[in-house]
Amino acid sequence: MLAMKQRSCALLGAAGDEDNGVGGDADHRTRKANTHKKRFRKKIESEEDEDGEVIARGAAERQVKRRTSDEGSESEEERLCDQREREQLEQNIRERDTAATRKLTEPKLLRREKEEAMRRSDALEKNGLEALRRVSRQEYLKKREQKKLEELRDDIEDEQYLFDGVKLNEAEYLELRYKKEIYELVKKRSEDADNTSEYRMPEAYDQEGGVNQEKRFSVALQRYRDATAAGKMNPLAEQEAWEEHQIGKATLTFASKNKKQISGDHQFVFEDQIDFIKASVMDGENTIDDEESTEREKSTAALEEERKTLPIYPYRDELLKAVHDHQILIIVGETGSGKTTQIPQYLHEAGYTMRGKVGCTQPRRVAAMSVAARVSQEMGVKLGHEVGYSIRFEDCTSEKTLVKYMTDGMLLREFLGDPELASYSVVMVDEAHERTLSTDILFGLVKDIARFRLDLKLLITSATLDAEKFSDYFDSAPIFKIPGRRYPVDIHYTKAPEADYLDAAIVSVLQIHATKPCGDILVFFTGQEEIETAEEILKHRTRGLGTKIADLIICPIYANLPTELQAKIFEPTPEGARKVVLATNIAETSLTIDGIKYVIDPGFCKMKSYNPRIGMESLLVAPISKASANQRAGRSGRTGPGKCFRLYTAYSYHNELEDNTLPEIQRTNLASVVLTLKSLGINDLLNFDFMDGPPCEALLKALELLFALGALNKLGELTKVGRRMAEFPLDPMLSKMIVASEKYECSDEIISIAAMLSIGNSIFYCPKEKRVHAYNARMNFHTGNVGDHIALLKVYNSWKETNYSTQWCYENYIQVRKMKRARDVRDQLEGLLKRVEIEVTSSPNVEAIKKAITSGFFPHSARLQKNGCYRTVKHPQIVHIHPSSGLAQVIPTPRWVLYHELALTTKEYMRQVTELKPKWLLEIAPHYYQLKDVDDRSGFPTIL
DNA sequence: GAGCACTGC
């Protein structure tokens, strides 16, 4: 019983330590944690001691933790055990201490040998990179520091711990010496760098590297060049075309010029008008009119000149000095200041790349690619050589890469192989204000590393609003401000709140169209449905206006829109016409449309939120934040002064909107985050230094799930299974499914299913006018009521059989783009299978495949109720089969089902459902289900 | 008989 309690405490990280928190909030959180502990303990009591595959490390640390978290234990038995443990701990400490003193007295020669051996094994471990034998990051760092301290100890011979004339104890003295030494080293190196006036530019590497590498570079470069020859969208490569287009924008600007001014006196009177009040002007800064030229090929000299016109240029030396003087720097710069392209170049020119790479993270793939392409052009080198980028499915870097752009998730993955980012001298986290999940985790990790690696420079760039917060988080790091280049934007609010924002938005569009001078309009909506409705109404209303009014070109844009149609928004507006772009949040950050002069902002967006208690995600319409509203407004001031019409009152803006959008980490399922952190050796998650910690309940839920999946043992440590799971960039349940497929010898099928599941639920395309056809096509894959998982497998395999035919996709109402992505994911998973030593085996046995799925998704089981609904087994909750499922209309209704996810829309729906035999639950997850769970009390006889 | 903001590994 006692052991049980200790286990649960350790598993929960430092839940017990929480009482040291601040005020009543901590109390509340502790109480919550305690109820979870109780629940957890119950679960653990039903456990057997079978999966003891622990990667032993930090044992003493754990003991300390267990001791502290168990304070206040009641029984005599517990106290005795506690006593024993304390003795053990003290024994450990004694041993360690004597070992340390022994080291000090041993002859130097012997010690050198030992150190050499240690160094070699360090190097081995570091370079070995063998996933399963990876050394934990913390252990590695500790060892490294220890070694350094020992070296310092050698130097102290007179036993006088004087540092700058102050007498210190040994520990303090060593620490200071350690820090000072590294500081001196860094200073010397950078001084050396400063004194060198010339930097050797490596030659082209044409002879080096494999053929593939070479081919890849040229393809990447070609892509970049081709992108500027816009308009040629290859229907066979939608995704690529889309990305090409995005890259093209790095050098191209589309602007509508010289449009005819619409005469001020017009005879149209719309039924309703909205009164706007101009309330404020968002100031423009540095409004120099030198937009990037549209010329494609430019001499290096011309590019060099262009670089000098960027707003950041006058701050170059000041910035470099700040970087030199401070380890961590917060940089505030508006879009257009050139920070993303210039800072890494400045750092390179200042010699920082001589002792490691300059890494720069971006939240989006396209941004990483296009910026890298731009910078390589500016530096006059081949993309992929000195300047490269690294995104999922595409690593365009080489050994010679000095400046590396990458997605933030990619850097996170790099942590797994390189626990202290040894190959980097500077890490720049760009667009930090967006607070993506990966960025938030990176913050914690880089902050930690910076404490050990004093030679590592850290740059965090953010928008103005929360710079202070970043500074506070990074130990009061100095803030460096760079002005952006933006035109002023007039902000207008409505006089009174609008009841129907959709209607109000349409009225405003017409109002602007009829009364304001030329310039395109951008309207923000929440989703596809709204956009389609708005499009219809607008078309209807403009139809009757005849030729008295200029043409209104309506362009919808949302992520699920087929790419050919998306390209339409980038076409220049014909003379005399006006373009109105109806967009989702995609236009807020992900893509930039030039020529926009008016923005209409209804103030809403769809936001995902997660309920950890029942494990359900929901997508709800919610008011945007002030930061978001300003971002939207700024979209109108890119090519000239703009106007933003907000469909809410100034009062609402100031008093009702939040300052910032809730960071993603606080509203998402954390299972995969927790697995990643655990595999980085971070065991104490509740005390991990998050900038904004996620809800305690969500963390506990994630731990609970990972424990059930066998990824964590009872002490909350990563097991071998967990270590293998962490290799896959997927949700842990999908990863578990893959790991389990080894046992059922169907890994080939399972990775196809995992790939299909991971790309989401928009594989089937369903145009309104062809609904019946689309439905029939979809149902073809469901013959035999095999369930949605197997149906997805059928879709993938059929596509493969047609040699990945685009035509086949059109015929079957399937989105080619998504299928291509699934193929990429599948290829990646196949590669990773080798890494975790799972053979690719194919099995025709459907039951085996379903069992493998069950191994990952057993917590997601539901049983039929008398009334035809389903109820989830473990955390009782009434749910329904989603109508898009192949099992939605099957008769007889399956009694037991397994679902991929729960989603709250109009009802609580299960998406992607497969029939299940209850005996599998007992067979596969005996630790999770007991007989009474699958024993039927609902009136149906259970078939076991 | 419903519906799917947006990213990322």
Side-chain angles (χ1 to χ4, degrees):
Chain A
M1 172 57 207
L2 160 79
M4 232 54 104
K5 184 174 178 197
Q6 283 167 347
R7 277 194 218 126
S8 69
C9 286
L11 180 61
L12 294 169
D17 295 347
E18 257 212 317
D19 306 85
N20 305 334
V22 203
D25 186 44
D27 260 50
H28 178 64
R29 278 167 66 203
T30 319
R31 242 178 285 127
K32 264 192 186 166
N34 282 338
T35 54
H36 267 268
K37 266 193 264 178
K38 270 182 212 150
R39 250 168 64 195
F40 223 104
R41 227 171 284 155
K42 261 194 190 162
K43 190 156 294 153
I44 290 158
E45 275 166 11
S46 68
E47 272 312 297
E48 300 244 323
D49 245 306
E50 54 192 14
D51 53 349
E53 308 158 324
V54 188
I55 288 123
R57 99 173 84 83
E61 188 190 314
R62 254 190 334 272
Q63 278 170 346
V64 175
K65 194 184 298 163
R66 250 193 275 174
R67 229 163 50 114
T68 49
S69 59
D70 253 356
E71 259 162 26
S73 45
E74 319 85 14
S75 80
E76 178 66 17
E77 193 191 3
E78 277 184 13
R79 256 202 306 280
L80 271 173
C81 189
D82 216 307
Q83 176 73 24
R84 268 202 304 280
E85 227 174 71
R86 191 170 300 141
E87 277 165 18
Q88 178 65 41
L89 184 71
E90 278 161 9
Q91 175 68 21
N92 284 354
I93 292 170
R94 266 200 300 280
E95 268 171 27
R96 202 187 55 203
D97 287 350
T98 47
T101 41
R102 203 163 44 237
K103 268 213 175 111
L104 275 175
T105 50
E106 266 169 2
K108 260 192 176 170
L109 202 67
L110 184 65
R111 192 160 60 241
R112 288 267 156 76
E113 265 173 29
K114 273 189 176 175
E115 277 170 4
E116 176 64 11
M118 200 168 148
R119 198 184 58 75
R120 278 189 197 161
S121 81
D122 258 9
L124 245 177
E125 274 175 305
K126 220 175 117 192
N127 299 330
L129 278 196
E130 206 189 307
L132 303 179
R133 302 194 52 244
R134 211 176 268 147
V135 66
S136 106
R137 183 173 140 269
Q138 280 179 341
E139 195 184 6
Y140 176 80
L141 292 174
K142 209 185 285 171
K143 213 189 269 176
R144 195 170 165 282
E145 189 193 26
Q146 217 169 3
K147 228 178 83 188
K148 186 76 206 165
L149 288 177
E150 273 159 25
E151 275 171 32
L152 285 175
R153 267 206 188 95
D154 288 351
D155 299 341
I156 314 163
E157 266 150 28
D158 48 359
E159 299 276 317
Q160 276 191 13
Y161 304 127
L162 283 174
F163 192 90
D164 285 352
V166 183
K167 196 157 168 53
L168 302 164
N169 69 30
E170 187 187 343
E172 285 168 345
Y173 178 80
L174 285 174
E175 197 190 332
L176 276 174
R177 277 289 302 272
Y178 173 60
K179 281 190 177 158
K180 194 180 171 197
E181 191 161 309
I182 290 193
Y183 175 76
E184 297 284 337
L185 191 77
V186 173
K187 206 168 124 195
K188 188 171 173 299
R189 278 194 198 162
S190 57
E191 275 167 8
D192 289 350
D194 287 345
N195 293 336
T196 330
S197 58
E198 253 187 318
Y199 298 101
R200 194 182 60 86
M201 281 292 169
E203 310 294 316
Y205 309 105
D206 291 348
Q207 289 83 10
E208 289 175 32
V211 180
N212 283 338
Q213 189 89 330
E214 191 58 34
K215 199 173 152 195
R216 203 167 59 207
F217 294 153
S218 62
V219 166
L221 192 66
Q222 193 56 43
R223 174 182 299 180
Y224 169 63
R225 293 230 170 95
D226 286 354
T228 42
K232 288 188 298 183
M233 289 295 168
N234 179 5
L236 292 173
E238 285 179 312
Q239 177 104 12
E240 287 203 354
W242 163 250
E243 285 177 353
E244 270 172 20
H245 193 92
Q246 292 293 317
I247 294 165
K249 283 190 291 159
T251 49
L252 258 189
T253 48
F254 295 98
S256 35
K257 288 170 199 153
N258 308 324
K259 255 181 282 171
K260 209 165 55 189
Q261 188 101 359
I262 298 167
S263 142
D265 56 329
H266 38 88
Q267 36 186 284
F268 307 109
V269 179
F270 293 108
E271 291 159 23
D272 30 29
Q273 294 259 336
I274 295 174
D275 289 332
F276 286 102
I277 320 162
K278 178 174 162 184
S280 56
V281 179
M282 211 158 114
D283 282 335
E285 290 167 279
N286 250 16
T287 48
I288 324 156
D289 193 10
D290 57 348
E291 272 299 311
E292 288 166 23
S293 161
T294 51
E295 263 178 75
R296 249 208 295 164
E297 294 297 333
K298 276 195 200 162
S299 66
T300 324
L303 281 168
E304 192 61 40
E305 276 311 301
E306 203 176 297
R307 283 183 64 192
K308 288 183 182 163
T309 64
L310 288 165
I312 193 175
Y313 184 74
Y315 301 86
R316 183 182 185 275
D317 296 333
E318 218 177 308
L319 179 75
L320 283 174
K321 187 176 179 300
V323 174
H324 180 265
D325 292 346
H326 304 280
Q327 194 190 4
I328 307 178
L329 196 63
I330 314 291
I331 299 172
V332 175
E334 298 275 346
T335 22
S337 61
K339 59 181 160 42
T340 312
T341 54
Q342 301 307 306
I343 293 175
Q345 287 189 67
Y346 295 163
L347 293 170
H348 168 67
E349 287 156 11
Y352 284 93
T353 47
M354 286 170 84
R355 50 169 203 270
K357 280 178 284 193
V358 171
C360 176
T361 72
Q362 293 290 319
R364 278 167 293 277
R365 299 161 49 89
V366 177
M369 288 167 72
S370 55
V371 170
R374 174 76 192 183
V375 172
S376 74
Q377 200 188 20
E378 284 185 3
M379 283 170 60
V381 296
K382 273 191 180 178
L383 181 61
H385 288 191
E386 287 83 1
V387 180
Y389 65 89
S390 173
I391 55 181
R392 192 185 185 183
F393 311 129
E394 213 179 321
D395 182 14
C396 186
T397 59
S398 64
E399 281 170 15
K400 308 291 194 298
T401 300
L402 300 172
V403 177
K404 180 171 171 184
Y405 288 90
M406 67 200 117
T407 46
D408 45 15
M410 211 63 199
L411 186 62
L412 205 55
R413 283 272 140 190
E414 273 190 32
F415 262 96
L416 288 172
D418 183 0
E420 55 161 18
L421 295 183
S423 63
Y424 291 90
S425 62
V426 184
V427 170
M428 172 168 160
V429 181
D430 205 4
E431 314 285 355
H433 60 275
E434 286 192 31
R435 305 290 306 276
T436 65
L437 194 57
S438 309
T439 319
D440 263 22
I441 302 164
L442 278 180
F443 284 158
L445 294 173
V446 292
K447 182 179 174 185
D448 188 36
I449 279 194
R451 297 208 175 117
F452 289 93
R453 278 198 55 193
L454 299 179
D455 59 326
L456 179 78
K457 296 288 183 185
L458 214 56
L459 307 179
I460 312 290
T461 70
S462 153
T464 329
L465 271 172
D466 41 9
E468 293 291 336
K469 190 175 175 185
F470 286 97
S471 171
D472 287 347
Y473 174 74
F474 285 103
D475 305 325
S476 310
I479 298 172
F480 193 94
K481 286 189 177 141
I482 305 162
R485 180 199 292 156
R486 205 185 48 198
Y487 295 89
V489 174
D490 294 343
I491 312 263
H492 301 256
Y493 296 94
T494 53
K495 264 186 190 161
E498 286 296 326
D500 180 353
Y501 66 85
L502 184 74
D503 189 59
I506 290 164
V507 171
S508 310
V509 169
L510 294 171
Q511 219 169 302
I512 291 169
H513 186 45
T515 62
K516 302 281 181 191
C518 64
D520 297 339
I521 309 171
L522 172 64
V523 196
F524 284 98
F525 287 111
T526 61
Q528 179 179 347
E529 206 183 345
E530 247 175 56
I531 289 174
E532 280 169 359
T533 318
E535 190 181 357
E536 256 170 53
I537 299 176
L538 267 178
K539 274 185 181 155
H540 179 79
R541 289 224 197 162
T542 48
R543 200 174 295 147
L545 296 175
T547 51
K548 294 273 173 83
I549 202 159
D551 275 339
L552 193 64
I553 302 164
I554 303 165
C555 307
I557 176 99
Y558 43 86
N560 272 340
L561 193 74
T563 325
E564 312 83 274
L565 300 175
Q566 282 190 353
K568 200 175 137 194
I569 63 161
F570 296 113
E571 286 166 18
T573 318
E575 209 159 302
R578 192 199 296 269
K579 187 162 72 178
V580 53
V581 179
L582 312 177
T584 58
N585 247 5
I586 194 171
E588 196 176 299
T589 48
S590 305
L591 57 88
T592 310
I593 311 152
D594 285 309
I596 296 291
K597 200 167 174 191
Y598 306 99
V599 164
I600 297 173
D601 173 20
F604 291 97
C605 71
K606 274 192 189 168
M607 212 184 323
K608 197 169 76 178
S609 57
Y610 173 71
N611 181 338
R613 198 174 50 78
I614 47 179
M616 186 145 47
E617 284 184 341
S618 46
L619 201 55
L620 300 170
V621 174
I624 58 171
S625 62
K626 280 181 199 157
S628 214
N630 291 334
Q631 174 76 18
R632 286 179 174 192
R635 287 295 168 178
S636 65
R638 287 189 57 85
T639 41
K643 284 187 167 53
C644 174
F645 299 90
R646 292 183 172 156
L647 301 180
Y648 40 89
T649 57
Y651 180 87
S652 297
Y653 174 78
H654 291 292
N655 300 295
E656 287 164 16
L657 299 189
E658 296 289 332
D659 282 346
N660 287 295
T661 314
L662 200 63
E664 196 183 355
I665 199 162
Q666 296 192 338
R667 48 186 174 88
T668 193
N669 180 353
L670 292 172
S672 85
V673 172
V674 171
L675 185 62
T676 310
L677 289 176
K678 287 275 180 186
S679 66
L680 285 169
I682 294 156
N683 279 323
D684 183 5
L685 288 172
L686 290 172
N687 285 325
F688 181 71
D689 194 2
F690 286 114
M691 190 160 155
D692 289 298
C696 202
E697 209 172 1
L699 268 179
L700 295 174
K701 179 85 182 175
L703 287 166
E704 206 176 313
L705 174 71
L706 290 171
F707 171 71
L709 291 176
L712 301 180
N713 67 9
K714 291 157 193 169
L715 298 169
E717 295 158 333
L718 207 63
T719 61
K720 264 187 194 166
V721 173
R723 200 152 275 269
R724 292 174 107 183
M725 281 165 62
E727 286 298 314
F728 296 96
L730 296 170
D731 185 86
M733 291 173 100
L734 288 170
S735 313
K736 177 63 194 295
M737 176 174 103
I738 293 172
V739 172
S741 70
E742 186 184 25
K743 185 178 164 191
Y744 298 99
E745 297 177 338
C746 55
S747 52
D748 190 51
E749 282 78 13
I750 285 295
I751 54 170
S752 300
I753 295 175
M756 291 292 279
L757 285 171
S758 72
I759 53 165
N761 38 20
S762 47
I763 295 163
F764 294 100
Y765 178 61
C766 188
K768 258 185 186 162
E769 59 284 5
K770 290 176 181 167
R771 253 162 71 169
V772 184
H773 292 97
Y775 175 80
N776 289 336
R778 198 170 63 210
M779 278 308 160
N780 278 337
F781 299 102
H782 286 281
T783 43
N785 297 334
V786 281
D788 297 327
H789 294 87
I790 302 291
L792 286 175
L793 177 65
K794 280 187 186 175
V795 171
Y796 187 84
N797 285 341
S798 311
W799 185 53
K800 196 175 167 186
E801 275 164 29
T802 64
N803 203 17
Y804 308 111
S805 150
T806 306
Q807 187 57 33
W808 180 87
C809 289
Y810 287 142
E811 283 164 10
N812 289 284
Y813 297 89
I814 284 164
Q815 293 216 47
V816 202
R817 205 172 10 141
K818 299 281 177 183
M819 292 303 294
K820 292 202 164 152
R821 199 171 163 77
R823 185 176 61 188
D824 284 341
V825 175
R826 195 190 176 281
D827 288 348
Q828 189 189 28
L829 294 180
E830 200 172 334
L832 291 171
L833 278 185
K834 280 192 201 102
R835 209 165 142 148
V836 298
E837 291 161 358
I838 294 177
E839 243 182 282
V840 181
T841 43
S842 177
S843 158
N845 182 353
V846 174
E847 185 160 317
I849 298 172
K850 284 191 181 177
K851 277 189 178 177
I853 299 171
T854 311
S855 307
F857 285 86
F858 61 82
H860 283 180
S861 63
R863 81 195 312 179
L864 188 65
Q865 302 297 109
K866 274 179 193 158
N867 58 5
C869 298
Y870 284 85
R871 202 185 66 193
T872 50
V873 178
K874 268 297 173 177
H875 306 285
Q877 159 87 16
I878 297 296
V879 291
H880 310 265
I881 296 184
H882 196 278
S884 68
S885 163
L887 290 181
Q889 288 177 19
V890 169
I891 295 170
T893 330
R895 294 214 179 104
W896 287 83
V897 291
L898 205 65
Y899 59 86
H900 176 240
E901 62 180 356
L902 280 186
L904 174 72
T905 48
T906 48
K907 276 181 185 173
E908 290 84 0
Y909 282 113
M910 300 182 278
R911 278 207 279 246
Q912 318 291 15
V913 184
T914 288
E915 190 173 0
L916 166 82
K917 288 193 180 131
K919 69 172 177 189
W920 296 348
L921 294 179
L922 292 180
E923 180 190 320
I924 289 162
H927 57 291
Y928 198 76
Y929 290 103
Q930 292 141 44
L931 198 59
K932 67 175 171 58
D933 290 321
V934 296
D935 181 38
D936 216 305
R937 283 156 296 177
S938 63
F940 291 106
T942 305
I943 309 144
L944 275 175

